[in-house]
Amino acid sequence: MEKRGSFGSKLGVVLASAGSAVGLGNIWRFPTEVGNNGGAAFILVYLCFVFLLAMPVMLAEFVIGRGSKANTVGAYRTLAPGKPWIVAGFMGVLGGILVLSFYSVVAGWTLHYTVESFANQLTAGQDFSAVFNKFVTNPWKPIAFQLVFLLMTHFVVSRGVEGGIERYSKVMMPVLFLIIVVLMCFSLSMPGAGDGLRFLLQPDFSKVTTGVVLSAMGQAFFSLSVGLGCLATYASYFKKETPLVSSAFSVCLLDSLIAILSGFIIFPAVFSVPGVSPDAGPGLVYITLPHVFNEAFAGLPVLGYLFSGMFYVLLLLAALTSTISMHEIATAFIHENYKLSRNSAAVVVTLVCIVLGAACSLSFGPWSDVKIWNRGFFDLFDFLTAKFLMPLGGILITMFVEWYLDRRFVVEQLTNGGTLKVRCLSILLFLIRWVAPIGVGIVFLNEIAN
Ligand code: PHE
């Protein structure tokens, strides 16, 4: 049996896991949700969920992954042989493929917008809503960009854990951070930025409805990539010295920080243009922003062009470090379970995602009438993962760790065999045992009932 890959350094562990977490979820979905759900109050609720519900699930995934040193399915086979828990593993593999299929559609749009920005095609005076609709409904173009993006993902994953995932994350994450800081300085210096800041920083608790609470929790799960065994797969490549608790905490902190900083890029810019509303929905990044870039830099178009180009590169890098991790769930499973080489396993996953991904892309255009349970493919896959597989996975994963696994084994993983002093260990175990499964369960039932 060939030697299993592993991450080479602690920094690599945090950057690769944070790379998985930081993605379109932070830079595209988070500002959209903040805009739709009233701003600062939503952010506070969101942060509570990140640390009280999503972080415990992440820790549970880390315990399962490093404790078994196997892919998500293999993990349950090793830790609970012959028991039905393995279903959670298969749900993760399926979920990873479904997320990758619809997520790569949006990543493909981003690639297109990057190219258009640098070719200086997103110029003033156009109806950006019509431009966007024309592109996404085209039968071929979005699929072509999506294909290129999937091949980029394939390239990194097929290079392996240390030489691919870790190596590229270590370059892409710092670049991403740098772009965020530069864009934020740009954005904050715009006239009218103060209104954007107020929107982000002054909570109005009258806006916190049940719907807002549910959205905040869904966002926390999606943004931290938990519930599908994605981080369990990454944790299976951790070394025995990797500190699980502090790594999970760093990833949650980095992910929240980047989501909030994205808000600091987008809202000051949006509020600097009169008449543009912050609750534009999913079109915010592709319809509202090109307009904002043009208006805000009307006197200096070169800056507008630079700003928008950098913004879409940022989105692209963030998407890529996440799609790698989705791809890895199924690649690791096929590679280890069916004894295929890593490369062939990656080819299988990429081919499946190209086919399913094309169906998702077509659901915006020629296949917009094809509905399953009243949803097109894109919406269906989004719904099945974010609203169903991820929360259900979160419940099963935390229950497995706290109710099935031996408490000593869990503590041994969290403290690296007693060599690490973990403050608040009993609080963390309490969160994993009770708070996470019950909290997620309540939200899940609410979603199903609607
Ligand atoms: N966390 C990623 C994001 O915020 C999305 C993701 C979901 C990644 C599930 C992996 C698994 O964009």
Side-chain angles (χ1 to χ4, degrees):
M1 177 88 189
E2 100 191 62
K3 193 172 164 289
R4 252 186 136 248
S6 75
F7 289 123
S9 66
K10 273 190 208 150
L11 183 70
V13 162
V14 171
L15 289 185
S17 312
S20 166
V22 174
L24 296 173
N26 303 60
I27 305 167
W28 171 63
R29 203 168 184 269
F30 180 78
T32 307
E33 293 278 303
V34 173
N36 289 340
N37 291 304
F42 173 86
I43 300 183
L44 286 180
V45 179
Y46 167 78
L47 288 176
C48 293
F49 283 146
V50 164
F51 289 96
L52 293 179
L53 299 184
M55 194 173 88
V57 183
M58 185 183 288
L59 272 176
E61 288 205 22
F62 280 1
V63 168
I64 294 175
R66 203 203 26 204
S68 65
K69 295 231 160 285
N71 63 81
T72 37
V73 174
Y76 293 98
R77 210 169 261 150
T78 311
L79 299 174
K83 294 275 174 344
W85 291 104
I86 200 165
V87 172
F90 285 114
M91 276 170 44
V93 173
L94 174 70
I97 288 178
L98 296 182
V99 181
L100 181 52
S101 303
F102 80 83
Y103 197 93
S104 57
V105 175
V106 185
W109 298 347
T110 309
L111 185 57
H112 171 73
Y113 271 71
T114 311
V115 174
E116 293 282 284
S117 291
F118 284 118
N120 206 7
Q121 293 298 310
L122 301 175
T123 46
Q126 309 182 54
D127 176 352
F128 286 111
S129 171
V131 171
F132 176 70
N133 284 325
K134 185 162 170 242
F135 174 68
V136 302
T137 51
N138 183 296
W140 299 112
K141 270 199 188 161
I143 295 187
F145 281 96
Q146 182 186 16
L147 181 67
V148 174
F149 188 85
L150 281 171
L151 293 179
M152 284 157 65
T153 306
H154 176 89
F155 173 82
V156 177
V157 173
S158 61
R159 310 256 118 180
V161 177
E162 195 172 354
I165 300 175
E166 181 172 4
R167 180 156 146 232
Y168 288 91
S169 303
K170 269 180 162 168
V171 179
M172 290 195 275
M173 292 306 285
V175 175
L176 183 139
F177 206 72
L178 195 75
I179 299 182
I180 288 193
V181 173
V182 173
L183 288 180
M184 198 174 67
C185 296
F186 253 143
S187 211
L188 289 177
S189 64
M190 288 185 178
D195 289 334
L197 285 183
R198 252 186 301 283
F199 182 71
L200 277 171
L201 297 176
Q202 258 177 23
D204 171 1
F205 287 104
S206 67
K207 297 231 165 86
V208 183
T209 57
T210 330
V212 169
V213 173
L214 295 184
S215 307
M217 146 113 189
Q219 175 61 20
F221 262 61
F222 188 81
S223 187
L224 289 172
S225 320
V226 292
L228 298 180
C230 180
L231 294 172
T233 307
Y234 270 19
S236 72
Y237 307 126
F238 289 3
K239 295 200 162 116
K240 63 176 190 314
E241 306 81 42
T242 305
L244 299 190
V245 177
S246 65
S247 301
F249 189 68
S250 310
V251 173
C252 291
L253 213 55
L254 266 177
D255 188 75
S256 312
L257 184 72
I258 291 187
I260 292 174
L261 292 184
S262 308
F264 279 110
I265 295 175
I266 290 179
F267 292 108
V270 166
F271 277 90
S272 73
V273 178
V276 174
S277 151
D279 57 358
L284 186 67
V285 163
Y286 304 98
I287 299 172
T288 313
L289 283 190
H291 174 63
V292 165
F293 297 149
N294 276 304
E295 287 289 314
F297 296 105
L300 258 178
V302 182
L303 273 188
Y305 161 72
L306 203 73
F307 190 111
S308 79
M310 265 169 63
F311 179 80
Y312 290 113
V313 170
L314 166 71
L315 210 53
L316 203 60
L317 287 178
L320 187 57
T321 50
S322 299
T323 50
I324 294 169
S325 70
M326 300 164 194
H327 199 294
E328 182 61 23
I329 310 177
T331 301
F333 163 65
I334 295 177
H335 169 48
E336 290 172 5
N337 203 57
Y338 298 105
K339 308 277 180 279
L340 274 187
S341 73
R342 195 180 159 81
N343 227 328
S344 317
V347 170
V348 173
V349 177
T350 303
L351 287 178
V352 171
C353 290
I354 288 175
V355 174
L356 293 178
C360 291
S361 183
L362 288 170
S363 69
F364 287 93
W367 288 7
S368 59
D369 290 335
V370 183
K371 305 259 186 228
I372 299 174
W373 292 320
N374 230 351
R375 291 179 172 83
F377 283 108
F378 184 97
D379 291 340
L380 179 71
F381 287 14
D382 181 1
F383 172 81
L384 278 179
T385 47
K387 300 269 163 73
F388 192 75
L389 290 174
M390 291 180 102
L392 198 57
I395 298 173
L396 291 179
I397 287 168
T398 43
M399 285 183 39
F400 176 70
V401 166
E402 259 299 306
W403 296 91
Y404 179 81
L405 288 181
D406 183 355
R407 182 49 91 84
R408 270 170 310 182
F409 175 81
V410 178
V411 171
E412 203 177 303
Q413 284 297 329
L414 292 177
T415 60
N416 288 358
T419 57
L420 286 180
K421 238 191 111 45
V422 175
R423 269 177 289 155
C424 334
L425 185 64
S426 49
I427 298 182
L428 289 174
L429 291 172
F430 179 78
L431 290 177
I432 299 177
R433 190 179 184 93
W434 298 106
V435 180
I438 294 177
V440 182
I442 291 173
V443 177
F444 179 62
L445 290 178
N446 239 310
E447 293 278 4
I448 295 294
N450 282 320

